[in-house]
């Protein structure tokens, strides 16, 4: 039986309770909103796992212009410069809004923000909260604020399964609950569902995050963009833990070096060395591993006994794996960390579907381009959550029409998809691997089983990757190692991607 929650009809519905979703709800207040989250509020979110912090050009030697220059350089020609400039300019306002919501950022003895350095940043500009536990501290403060905000209704244990449409406009959200199916009638829907790391074996993200927001939006007909750009964090702790624990870039920012099993500092010959952009470091580490080698972070000389005080969370994770960073080398490997692609949005988070906004990692605004600059993700989540809320508040309310309930789809299961994606769509790609992924994923994506939604997201990544016949940013192809002279973003709908995927698949079946 499907229950329509008419008592909540007409409210803005926000899917996800990470930084983007929480900031959307808080900024909307006192306008009523509903947060839908499959787990407890603020848990199972990538935001809460972020070690780095928020990039903000607020130092005495820094500026928004310098921050923008670093962002555009890391984005490798595919950033939207005007969108990037706008988001970066709002960094001080985002920090102030978070502090007003209860976040306590780390400050020095003079009361100034303590600013850290991360890869590809030309200045110390990373604002932290509780050292390397920034994400958890920020999300915890916002959860407290949301719980104290009467206009926000929180529905825990609700899993979004389908967007319901009335013609070309959002009309509601179909959810699975412990009591069966439930419909939230709404004409204003915000997806803040996070990334796609759960599609891969090696990831630093919550393993249940397979791109749900992308699948929901894609099925509703939204435009997708930059789907091929999957950022692998170069230094995940190489252990049996799943998901893999992250060894923050800030460790290299404090002077830790990358060495192989022979003790060679293989990054020394590469511009930027250990602090080169993430795509560069990930490819270099992958090449070492591909030849049968191993890679380690050596923090002994740079930090030594100070490691645990500077990075308590990372030290504890290392200890769990039997490693003492003060005296031991830390084994590392690349792991999926962030997705630059997603639902195409404008500067206010609006998608191409009327009534649908997307904020945070599930969206692709153009800020990150082909490769996200470290700590710009939490900045984007905060700024775009606030922008989406302001945009929604400025839109006249639309009456909720009659909704026809869809059949509740089965719970999504990425287990069939994960081996395909991990094998074929890793750090280094080629035509054979990408085509193999498309052939294996297409029947799953076109089916109606538990693998369908994860397969749709993975298929989109593969189709976009097949069309980008160059190496740029986080997309590296061994068969097209060079970069094209003109940088162009790719944008399409699911229906178009399926048409492209069917052509080689049809040829293979007839052969």
């Amino acid at each position: 039986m499907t229950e329509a929650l008419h008592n909540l009809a007409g409210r803005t519905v926000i899917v996800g309770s990470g930084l983007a979703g929480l900031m959307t709800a808080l900024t909307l207040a006192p306008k009523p909103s509903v947060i839908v989250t499959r787990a407890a509020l603020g848990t199972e979110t990538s935001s809460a796992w972020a070690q780095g912090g928020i990039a903000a050009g607020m130092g005495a030697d820094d500026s928004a212009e310098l921050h923008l220059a670093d962002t555009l350089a890391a984005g490798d020609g595919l950033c939207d410069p005007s969108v990037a400039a706008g988001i970066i300019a709002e960094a001080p306002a985002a920090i102030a809004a978070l502090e007003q919501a209860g976040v306590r950022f780390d400050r020095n003895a003079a009361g100034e923000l303590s600013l850290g350095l991360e890869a590809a940043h030309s200045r110390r500009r990373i604002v932290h909260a509780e050292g390397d536990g920034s994400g958890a501290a920020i999300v915890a403060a916002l959860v407290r604020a949301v719980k104290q905000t009467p206009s926000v209704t929180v529905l825990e244990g609700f899993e979004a399964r389908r967007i319901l449409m009335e013609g070309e406009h959002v009309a509601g959200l179909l959810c699975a609950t412990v009591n069966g199916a439930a419909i939230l009638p709404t004409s204003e829907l915000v997806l803040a569902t996070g990334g796609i790391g759960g599609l891969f074996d090696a990831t630093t993200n919550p393993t249940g995050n397979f791109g749900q927001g992308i699948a929901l939006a894609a099925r509703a007909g939204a435009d997708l963009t930059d789907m091929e750009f999957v950022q692998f964090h170069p230094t995940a702790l190489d252990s049996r833990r799943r998901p893999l624990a992250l060894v923050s870039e800030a460790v290299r920012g404090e002077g830790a070096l990358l060495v192989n099993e022979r003790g060679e500092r293989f990054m020394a010959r590469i511009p930027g060395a250990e602090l080169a952009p993430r795509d560069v470091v990930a490819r270099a580490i992958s090449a070492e591993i591909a030849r049968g080698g191993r890679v380690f972070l050596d923090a002994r000389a740079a930090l030594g006994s100070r490691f645990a005080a500077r990075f308590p969370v990372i030290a504890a994770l290392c200890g769990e794996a039997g490693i003492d960073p003060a005296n031991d080398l830390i084994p590392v490997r690349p792991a999926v960390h962030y997705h630059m692609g997603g639902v195409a949005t404008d500067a206010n988070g609006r998608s191409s579907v009327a009534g649908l906004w997307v904020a945070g990692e599930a969206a692709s605004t153009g800020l990150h381009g082909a490769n996200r600059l470290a700590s710009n993700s939490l900045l984007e989540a905060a700024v775009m959550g606030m922008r989406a809320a302001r945009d929604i508040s400025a839109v006249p309310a639309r009456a909720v029409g009659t909704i026809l309930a869809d059949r509740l789809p089965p719970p999504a299961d990425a287990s069939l998809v994960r081996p395909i994606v991990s094998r074929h769509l890793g750090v280094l790609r080629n035509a054979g691997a990408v085509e193999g992924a498309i052939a294996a994923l297409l029947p799953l994506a076109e089916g109606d089983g538990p693998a369908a939604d994860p397969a749709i997201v993975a298929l989109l990544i593969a189709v976009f990757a097949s069309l980008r016949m160059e190496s740029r940013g986080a997309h590296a192809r061994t068969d097209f190692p060079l970069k094209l002279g003109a940088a162009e973003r790719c944008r399409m709908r699911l229906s178009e991607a399926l048409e492209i995927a069917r052509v080689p698949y049809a040829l293979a079946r007839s052969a």
Side-chain angles (χ1 to χ4, degrees):
M1 178 180 172
T2 301
E3 179 188 9
L5 303 181
H6 293 295
N7 59 313
L8 298 174
R11 302 188 184 199
T12 303
V13 174
I14 302 159
V15 185
S17 63
L19 176 54
L22 295 170
M23 283 301 282
T24 302
L26 289 170
T27 308
L28 277 169
K31 178 179 167 67
S33 64
V34 179
I35 293 179
V36 171
T37 174
R38 69 170 184 258
L41 191 67
T43 63
E44 293 188 20
T45 69
S46 295
S47 300
W49 293 12
Q51 293 173 348
I54 299 178
M58 299 171 69
D61 63 343
D62 204 0
S63 67
E65 289 73 24
L66 286 172
H67 186 179
L68 176 61
D70 291 344
T71 297
L72 297 180
D76 207 3
L78 280 192
C79 296
D80 182 318
S82 62
V83 168
I87 292 173
I88 286 166
E90 283 191 47
I95 297 297
L98 288 166
E99 287 191 308
Q100 189 173 1
V103 178
R104 299 183 64 179
F105 290 109
D106 297 342
R107 294 181 178 271
N108 60 24
E112 302 163 331
L113 289 169
S114 296
L115 301 174
L117 178 67
E118 291 185 358
H121 286 273
S122 59
R123 297 288 188 275
R124 298 186 77 90
R125 66 166 65 99
I126 315 304
V127 181
H128 293 270
E130 296 185 16
D132 60 350
S134 295
I138 292 168
V139 169
L142 297 184
V143 165
R144 287 192 295 270
V146 163
K147 288 180 177 179
Q148 295 166 6
T149 304
S151 62
V152 184
T153 300
V154 177
L155 299 178
E156 295 179 335
F158 275 58
E159 185 176 52
R161 296 276 176 88
R162 290 290 183 271
I163 296 172
L164 303 177
M165 303 292 292
E166 183 183 27
E168 300 295 311
H169 203 288
V170 168
L173 185 70
L174 177 65
C175 299
T177 76
V178 291
N179 298 317
I183 289 175
L184 285 163
T186 183
S187 60
E188 298 167 345
L189 180 63
V190 182
L191 298 178
T193 51
I196 51 92
L199 292 175
F200 292 78
D201 286 326
T203 181
T204 63
N205 299 163
T207 52
N209 289 7
F210 65 79
Q212 286 92 328
I214 293 171
L216 287 166
R219 286 185 180 276
D223 288 353
L224 296 310
T225 189
D226 297 343
M227 288 293 295
E228 68 270 41
F229 294 110
V230 179
Q231 184 174 77
F232 288 75
H233 196 290
T235 54
L237 181 63
D238 191 3
S239 71
R240 283 190 282 249
R241 181 189 178 101
R242 289 297 181 275
L244 293 174
L246 179 66
V247 182
S248 170
E249 215 155 65
V251 176
R252 280 174 281 140
E254 295 296 330
L257 303 177
L258 284 165
V259 297
N260 60 23
E261 79 285 358
R262 297 191 287 256
E264 298 165 342
R265 190 184 163 205
F266 58 91
M267 290 300 299
R269 61 183 180 271
I270 296 174
E274 278 78 9
L275 294 180
R278 285 179 173 173
D279 58 316
V280 175
V281 183
R283 284 200 294 270
I285 293 174
S286 291
E288 292 290 323
I289 294 171
R291 65 160 180 79
R294 295 193 70 195
V295 173
F296 303 87
L297 259 178
D298 186 353
R300 296 173 299 183
L303 288 160
S305 60
R306 296 186 296 110
F307 192 102
R310 175 67 180 86
F311 300 107
V313 174
I314 300 171
L317 291 166
C318 287
E320 182 185 280
I323 299 158
D324 175 10
N327 299 297
D328 303 330
L329 295 174
I330 306 169
V332 293
R333 60 173 287 190
V336 171
H337 186 58
Y338 191 84
H339 188 209
M340 279 71 71
V343 184
T345 73
D346 68 7
N348 289 315
R350 286 195 192 200
S351 76
S352 62
V353 172
L356 179 64
W357 287 257
V358 190
E361 192 173 352
S364 185
T365 62
L367 169 65
H368 306 303
N371 182 48
R372 175 178 68 92
L373 181 66
S375 291
N376 268 355
S377 51
L378 292 185
L379 170 63
E380 181 187 47
V383 169
M384 292 308 296
M386 293 190 294
R387 283 191 183 181
R390 291 195 293 263
D391 195 45
I392 291 166
S393 296
V395 174
R398 185 178 189 269
V400 178
T402 304
I403 303 173
L404 298 175
D406 284 11
R407 178 182 61 85
L408 187 67
D413 183 355
S415 59
L416 291 177
V417 175
R418 204 169 284 128
I420 300 167
V421 176
S422 301
R423 179 182 177 190
H424 295 301
L425 298 172
V427 175
L428 301 174
R429 303 166 176 172
N430 60 57
V434 173
E435 288 164 10
I438 290 172
L441 291 167
L442 183 61
L444 295 174
E446 292 189 307
D448 59 2
D453 279 1
I456 280 173
V457 181
L459 181 68
L460 285 163
I461 295 171
V463 169
F464 274 70
S466 73
L467 298 175
R468 186 165 295 281
M469 291 179 277
E470 64 167 347
S471 289
R472 184 182 297 276
H475 174 74
R477 286 189 57 159
T478 56
D479 50 348
F480 293 103
L482 301 180
K483 196 184 305 182
L484 293 175
E488 294 183 8
R489 299 177 71 192
C490 183
R491 180 170 177 149
M492 75 177 87
R493 294 182 180 183
L494 173 61
S495 57
E496 297 169 284
L498 288 170
E499 285 181 22
I500 293 168
R502 288 180 189 125
V503 174
Y505 182 63
L507 291 174
R509 290 188 68 182
S510 62

